Amino acid sequence: MTRTLKRTRLAVAVAALAGSSAALAADTDTLTVTATVQPTCAIETVNNLAFGDVLFDADTDQDTTIDVFCNTATGTLTLDGGTNGDLVSRVMRDGANNLPYQLYTDASRTTVFGDGKGSTDTVTVTGSQTVTVYGRVTQADAQAAAPGAGYTDDVTVTINP
């Protein structure tokens, strides 16, 4: 093949590539991005409830708060009966000595805060919320209890979406 023929073929090939916009065009497609947000609720802070000195001549009332968050429409906050009692007769203990107490959902202390079973109630939570827990040691229970400063109980707090 002659040198002139080679140059001519090369020129034709270059011209064909330059004129062919389809061969050099960009190509596009779509990337789909997805996610699923699971319904969840979280307990952010549980503040302890300290009755302090219980009174012999009146009921001793105290309250505390629990901070919770739910990304669902609603969540349900429950309290168990504690390690030393059940939902309707919670008990703090100091060794062998007992001091009954109760936790409520309302400031008037008429609705027992529990798991929604029997005579107990739960609290419905929406979004970020602070829930108040109302506690009471009755005068009669204080009078019947042995003196002591170590009365305690541990109550499990649960939030469900």
Side-chain angles (χ1 to χ4, degrees), residues 144-159:
Y151 285 99
T152 63
D153 191 19
D154 293 318
V155 175
T156 301
V157 179
T158 304
I159 185 84

Side-chain angles (χ1 to χ4, degrees), residues 51-135:
F51 282 106
D53 295 333
V54 294
L55 306 173
F56 292 93
D57 57 350
D59 292 343
T60 302
D61 292 341
Q62 291 294 337
D63 58 68
T64 191
T65 58
I66 301 169
D67 296 318
V68 294
F69 172 79
C70 287
N71 72 350
T72 57
T74 60
T76 303
L77 185 67
T78 64
L79 304 180
D80 76 357
T83 56
N84 301 314
D86 63 40
L87 292 171
V88 292
S89 33
R90 290 181 167 110
V91 177
M92 291 180 277
R93 291 206 172 117
D94 180 12
N97 299 318
N98 294 335
L99 178 59
Y101 73 99
Q102 194 50 270
L103 303 174
Y104 301 91
T105 62
D106 58 320
S108 60
R109 291 167 173 81
T110 56
T111 306
V112 174
F113 201 148
D115 61 3
K117 297 175 184 165
S119 61
T120 69
D121 206 359
T122 62
V123 171
T124 300
V125 177
T126 304
S128 183
Q129 188 173 334
T130 298
V131 176
T132 302
V133 179
Y134 302 91

